[in-house]
Amino acid sequence: MGRQHNGSRALGLLTLLAASATATPLVKPAKVVQTVDNTLKGVTANVKNLFLSGTTPNNTSSRCKVYPGDRNWPSDAAWASLNKLVDNRLLNRPDPLAAVCYNGPLYNAEECVKVTAHWNESYSHFDNAVEMMSPVAQGMTCLPPNIFDSHNCTRGGFPMYVINATKPEHIQHGVNFARNTGVRLVVKNTGHDFLGKSGGKDALSVWTHYFKDIEYFENYEDKEGNYSGPAFKAGVGVQAFEIYKAAHEKGHSVVGGEGETVGIFGGYIQGGGHSPLTSLYGTGADQVLAFEVVTADGDYVIANSTSNTDLFWAMRGGGGSTFGVATSVTVKAHPDLPTTASRFSFTSEKMGNETFWAAIRDYVEYFVPNADAGTYAYWTLIPNVFTGIFSFGMSPFFAPNKTLEETKALLQPWLARLEELGVNVDPNITHFPSYYEAWQSSFPLEAVGKINATTGSRLFPRANFETKEKRDELFQNLRQSSENNRVQVHFNIKAVDPANSDNAVNSAWRENILFSQQAVRWNPNGTAAETLKARQDFQSGDMQRWRDISPGAGSYLAEADRLEPDFGQAFWGDKYPRLLELKAKLDPYDVFFAHTTVGSERWKVESVDGLPNENGKLCRVEN
Ligand SMILES: Cc1cc2nc3c(=O)[nH]c(=O)nc-3n(C[C@H](O)[C@H](O)[C@H](O)COP(=O)(O)OP(=O)(O)OC[C@H]3O[C@@H](n4cnc5c(N)ncnc54)[C@H](O)[C@@H]3O)c2cc1C
Ligand SMILES: *[C@@H]1O[C@H](CO)[C@@H](O)[C@H](O)[C@H]1NC(C)=O
Ligand SMILES: *[C@@H]1O[C@H](CO)[C@@H](O)[C@H](O)[C@H]1NC(C)=O
Ligand SMILES: *[C@@H]1O[C@H](CO)[C@@H](O)[C@H](O)[C@H]1NC(C)=O
Ligand SMILES: *[C@@H]1O[C@H](CO)[C@@H](O)[C@H](O)[C@H]1NC(C)=O
Ligand SMILES: *[C@@H]1O[C@H](CO)[C@@H](O)[C@H](O)[C@H]1NC(C)=O
Ligand SMILES: *[C@@H]1O[C@H](CO)[C@@H](O)[C@H](O)[C@H]1NC(C)=O
Ligand SMILES: *[C@@H]1O[C@H](CO)[C@@H](O)[C@H](O)[C@H]1NC(C)=O
Ligand SMILES: *[C@@H]1O[C@H](CO)[C@@H](O)[C@H](O)[C@H]1NC(C)=O
Ligand SMILES: *[C@@H]1O[C@H](CO)[C@@H](O)[C@H](O)[C@H]1NC(C)=O
Ligand SMILES: *[C@@H]1O[C@H](CO)[C@@H](O)[C@H](O)[C@H]1NC(C)=O
Ligand SMILES: *[C@@H]1O[C@H](CO)[C@@H](O)[C@H](O)[C@H]1NC(C)=O
Ligand SMILES: *[C@@H]1O[C@H](CO)[C@@H](O)[C@H](O)[C@H]1NC(C)=O
């Protein structure tokens, strides 16, 4: 087994021999569907070597990736050849949205007002080739001045070149070029990632947003994958609102996030992915039947239950931008279940703190039965330091496959207790004929682009709810975080796995009852040192308290803090050793990198301000 190399390619042959000489059961992608080497005819001889697939790069010993000004930075002719190979879809320094607000050729005061007004909407950002919805991770170098004045619009953590890819070959050329030149490669889909994993200063970016095809299979048979039934094959650029609509039209639903515009088949699904349907069907990654993937060698392969099974295992939960670039994902389809949903809220303003907290404490009693009943609750706890008022928001309580009566019965014990406490809520409990309609009605578009906050998270396992003492302890720790001015977002869900899939999803998800997030906020005008201190204190303080009461549990890699300590254990638990081994086998030269991904410990972005962001060179960590 091994890549089917052309016998004349000595490097490939060596790789093949090396692989068969070791006794390891881990194999490199076995079946080459397609290489792009036969498309290089028009490329001039002096740069042709930069486009070959399957090569061992020459420059693995330099400390940093290759940057402008370095001797090995590709020539203009080399970039021009890349542009030609990708059908003239290489964008050179595409502009960020707020460029219209700053001196320069794009300056336009009217446009700037519009950009500013819609800045916090994801719709503004995902059609832009470079925008990242986390300016904090980008380096804050080009925001509308009324939101944050960066004085000049500079590129910061934005990539330099972007392949606006529409075919796997475009990605193959990009991967080969990055591997052969040592230029940093990033992959961007929608740019939603909170940790900024879709950007990187002066990188070459592969932008997957326009892989939009959706195909329906009425009966997908996969014996080894333990599945027989309907399925959708989606291009990796497909977003939640698109796949939910397509599924609904066929009388189905698929497991995807709550957010309207999140890319379901890029970072979300490879990183695990939780959903309003997770308490019924498991994580997003548990639904995957096949990926089409461009590997680190630049080959285009299929990873499924029988083909490239290591890659298939790793990409179901191991995280994006690590093992390959997916171009399509095939997932299970489920029935479009009738669903009941409810939104309600209350604050401490009239009732006072003790009543408010008694109400929250009582809610903790119902997390286990509600998750076990297959429901999903997305609820928030928001403090206001100026007024001293706390707010609770249920947004929403979501009960797929439950009637109105069943849902009322689930909520009734807590609602009765709220009434006893004198907490006035009048929940609007509504039944919808389908998941799709319930989802559309229940989840308003969320704001993106926060400039002075970052979120840490914890997957609180069932063990935290087993005794009254444990529930008290958990409650006290949530209350403490509110009193310390943390905005909290919680998901009361469990990640069942009916198909018993063996994949790379963090085992901590299987124990989860409450997935909890809290945020640290800082003055955006403060110094870098002040920001860093606030972020570090948050990790050693409020986040450490949450870790201390849930030993051995984890955090969710897509909704987490770049400063999460020991992130390998936190994001993958007992799956991490195998993931590290597979990273070394499948991407031995670290062509793929994003912060806090598997194997990323070997590298560090040396940011210009010392903060955790993408505005700096990517260099090896010296040891
Ligand atoms: C408003 C909002 C709501 C959210 N709701 C949920 C939710 O309900 N459930 C949940 O689990 N998460 C949720 N998230 C988190 C979400 O899962 C992550 O932000 C995720 O990274 C988004 O993936 P993307 O592909 O859209 O984003 P991007 O930022 O473009 O990419 C994320 C990461 O995946 C990599 N990547 C993207 N595409 C590919 C590909 N084809 N092949 C290889 N690597 C790839 C990128 O390199 C990057 O590292 C939410 C986030 C936001 C901002
Ligand atoms: C690799 O890079 C180093 C230093 O950056 C340079 O000296 C060397 O010539 C390069 N090797 C090749 C084969 O290009
Ligand atoms: C902004 O850019 C201009 C031109 O490059 C430069 O002269 C000026 O010093 C910059 N200002 C700031 C505040 O960085
Ligand atoms: C990227 O490609 C798509 C599809 O061809 C096109 O609609 C879009 O305008 C392109 N975007 C940019 C910034 O070139
Ligand atoms: C690496 O170096 C060898 C020998 O100098 C050369 O033949 C090969 O083309 C180089 N590869 C790349 C990608 O530059
Ligand atoms: C898995 O991929 C292989 C290789 O392409 C293919 O032959 C096989 O049919 C696929 N399995 C399923 C269930 O589609
Ligand atoms: C409630 O608690 C907050 C801080 O935890 C405090 O600021 C506020 O004054 C308290 N409210 C009342 C009414 O006691
Ligand atoms: C939905 O409810 C029906 C009727 O109670 C039940 O038969 C079915 O198994 C449920 N579906 C899921 C996915 O739980
Ligand atoms: C209850 O919620 C439903 C769905 O969101 C909405 O259509 C309806 O108007 C609401 N009813 C009341 C009384 O607010
Ligand atoms: C987004 O910003 C607008 C004003 O720019 C504001 O009115 C709105 O409340 C913000 N949305 C959210 C969800 O914060
Ligand atoms: C199918 O189920 C078996 C037995 O439960 C499990 O070992 C295997 O990993 C499953 N296959 C996939 C692709 O999840
Ligand atoms: C975060 O920034 C927003 C917008 O500039 C501001 O209103 C808020 O006060 C800031 N938070 C802190 C803690 O400074
Ligand atoms: C940051 O500074 C700007 C300009 O000096 C000011 O308008 C803004 O209110 C400040 N923001 C905060 C949160 O202090």
Side-chain angles (χ1 to χ4, degrees):
M1 303 237 281
R3 294 179 79 253
Q4 293 170 353
H5 280 282
N6 175 331
S8 67
R9 282 163 52 185
L11 282 174
L13 204 58
L14 282 176
T15 315
L16 193 68
L17 291 175
S20 53
T22 60
T24 164
L26 304 168
V27 292
K28 292 194 78 174
K31 192 168 157 65
V32 177
V33 174
Q34 195 186 4
T35 81
V36 284
D37 289 356
N38 56 359
T39 68
L40 302 178
K41 280 191 200 75
V43 179
T44 52
N46 61 334
V47 293
K48 196 164 182 168
N49 57 346
L50 302 179
F51 298 97
L52 295 174
S53 61
T55 53
T56 299
N58 281 333
N59 265 293
T60 50
S61 61
S62 48
R63 194 177 75 83
C64 302
K65 295 273 180 178
V66 172
Y67 286 95
D70 292 352
R71 197 162 54 79
N72 290 315
W73 180 253
S75 64
D76 288 351
W79 288 109
S81 294
L82 176 61
N83 186 32
K84 214 161 149 192
L85 286 170
V86 301
D87 302 325
N88 300 310
R89 306 184 68 86
L90 183 68
L91 311 173
N92 183 351
R93 296 174 180 80
D95 293 297
L97 281 176
V100 294
C101 301
Y102 292 88
N103 282 333
L106 292 185
Y107 178 77
N108 181 329
E110 241 171 83
E111 280 302 312
C112 178
V113 170
K114 277 192 219 158
V115 163
T116 306
H118 298 285
W119 186 257
N120 62 11
E121 294 161 20
S122 58
Y123 282 92
S124 303
H125 299 265
F126 59 68
D127 285 333
N128 179 283
V130 293
E131 279 296 331
M132 299 149 73
M133 297 184 211
S134 170
V136 169
Q138 184 275 340
M140 311 265 290
T141 68
C142 187
L143 288 121
N146 284 344
I147 291 174
F148 180 80
D149 193 352
S150 45
H151 303 297
N152 268 338
C153 175
T154 56
R155 298 200 68 79
F158 291 130
M160 183 174 288
Y161 289 96
V162 177
I163 299 174
N164 184 3
T166 54
K167 294 182 190 163
E169 299 92 285
H170 299 152
I171 300 178
Q172 291 175 271
H173 287 303
V175 168
N176 286 333
F177 187 77
R179 189 187 61 254
N180 289 326
T181 58
V183 169
R184 181 175 174 190
L185 182 74
V186 301
V187 181
K188 169 172 142 127
N189 184 25
T190 62
H192 272 86
D193 194 81
F194 290 103
L195 296 89
K197 288 181 286 184
S198 65
K201 184 181 180 60
D202 291 340
L204 167 62
S205 174
V206 165
W207 187 26
T208 60
H209 181 53
Y210 291 97
F211 283 80
K212 288 287 193 188
D213 292 343
I214 297 176
E215 199 181 334
Y216 174 59
F217 302 95
E218 199 152 321
N219 204 355
Y220 189 96
E221 296 283 349
D222 184 355
K223 201 154 75 60
E224 288 80 2
N226 310 315
Y227 186 73
S228 166
F232 285 94
K233 176 179 173 183
V236 290
V238 171
Q239 292 164 276
F241 66 93
E242 294 165 323
I243 191 64
Y244 288 171
K245 180 164 184 290
H248 177 64
E249 283 165 5
K250 298 284 182 194
H252 291 299
S253 64
V254 299
V255 172
E258 50 80 22
E260 187 170 316
T261 60
V262 171
I264 295 305
F265 302 98
Y268 169 87
I269 206 159
Q270 292 180 47
H274 64 80
S275 165
L277 296 171
T278 282
S279 297
L280 287 184
Y281 303 124
T283 66
D286 297 331
Q287 318 305 314
V288 179
L289 298 164
F291 292 101
E292 288 174 303
V293 187
V294 174
T295 67
D297 275 335
D299 293 337
Y300 183 50
V301 306
I302 289 178
N304 65 15
S305 62
T306 55
S307 172
N308 297 298
T309 52
D310 282 330
L311 190 59
F312 185 52
W313 185 85
M315 287 182 76
R316 286 177 299 154
S321 199
T322 307
F323 303 101
V325 185
T327 61
S328 80
V329 187
T330 304
V331 294
K332 298 169 193 172
H334 299 286
D336 197 357
L337 299 169
T339 295
T340 303
S342 180
R343 299 172 62 91
F344 54 93
S345 60
F346 54 86
T347 80
S348 65
E349 184 172 10
K350 298 229 169 67
M351 66 184 73
N353 286 335
E354 291 320 310
T355 304
F356 178 87
W357 288 115
I360 302 299
R361 172 63 188 86
D362 197 64
Y363 183 30
V364 178
E365 293 299 305
Y366 307 108
F367 291 160
V368 169
N370 285 351
D372 284 342
T375 66
Y376 163 105
Y378 175 161
W379 59 277
T380 57
L381 271 179
I382 299 180
N384 183 325
V385 272
F386 302 109
T387 59
I389 295 169
F390 299 104
S391 308
F392 168 88
M394 177 64 82
S395 55
F397 186 83
F398 200 82
N401 209 23
K402 295 271 185 279
T403 63
L404 193 68
E405 287 65 37
E406 287 165 338
T407 307
K408 282 183 174 160
L410 281 171
L411 283 171
Q412 201 279 330
W414 186 37
L415 294 178
R417 179 80 179 117
L418 291 182
E419 202 174 326
E420 268 171 44
L421 288 165
V423 174
N424 244 321
V425 293
D426 184 16
N428 175 349
I429 308 179
T430 305
H431 187 72
F432 299 87
S434 67
Y435 168 81
Y436 185 61
E437 287 150 283
W439 170 78
Q440 279 188 315
S441 161
S442 304
F443 296 97
L445 192 65
E446 292 155 305
V448 300
K450 305 238 163 62
I451 60 168
N452 56 345
T454 194
T455 293
S457 71
R458 199 71 186 155
L459 293 157
F460 287 116
R462 195 172 285 266
N464 279 98
F465 304 90
E466 269 170 352
T467 63
K468 183 178 172 301
E469 288 67 31
K470 285 299 211 184
R471 293 191 293 276
D472 281 337
E473 179 187 61
L474 181 109
F475 162 74
Q476 286 302 342
N477 276 279
L478 302 191
R479 178 172 179 172
Q480 184 68 60
S481 289
S482 286
E483 289 174 350
N484 293 352
N485 192 26
R486 305 306 178 199
V487 168
Q488 296 179 57
V489 173
H490 300 271
F491 296 86
N492 176 204
I493 42 174
K494 66 173 188 178
V496 296
D497 181 15
N500 195 27
S501 325
D502 174 20
N503 60 29
V505 171
N506 193 346
S507 315
W509 267 118
R510 307 301 177 199
E511 297 295 317
N512 186 70
I513 289 294
L514 189 69
F515 168 50
S516 297
Q517 303 173 17
Q518 58 180 335
V520 55
R521 294 176 286 178
W522 56 84
N523 179 349
N525 294 331
T527 64
E530 285 161 354
T531 301
L532 190 59
K533 178 157 193 318
R535 295 187 60 169
Q536 287 168 338
D537 289 350
F538 171 61
Q539 276 300 337
S540 60
D542 288 305
M543 279 309 297
Q544 192 55 43
R545 280 191 301 100
W546 283 17
R547 285 189 284 267
D548 287 344
I549 61 164
S550 56
S555 172
Y556 172 39
L557 66 92
E559 292 172 313
D561 185 357
R562 279 173 78 116
L563 299 183
E564 176 74 30
D566 197 5
F567 67 82
Q569 187 285 323
F571 296 163
W572 295 283
D574 58 0
K575 309 280 174 72
Y576 200 50
R578 183 168 178 210
L579 283 165
L580 279 174
E581 256 179 275
L582 289 174
K583 174 70 176 176
K585 290 276 173 186
L586 299 170
D587 182 19
Y589 311 115
D590 287 342
V591 176
F592 302 114
F593 168 90
H595 200 270
T596 64
T597 54
V598 171
S600 63
E601 302 88 343
R602 292 188 282 275
W603 298 85
K604 184 177 189 304
V605 177
E606 298 183 345
S607 69
V608 296
D609 56 10
L611 289 172
N613 63 49
E614 291 301 327
N615 186 10
K617 289 187 181 180
L618 180 62
C619 300
R620 285 172 213 281
V621 171
E622 315 274 11
N623 44 18

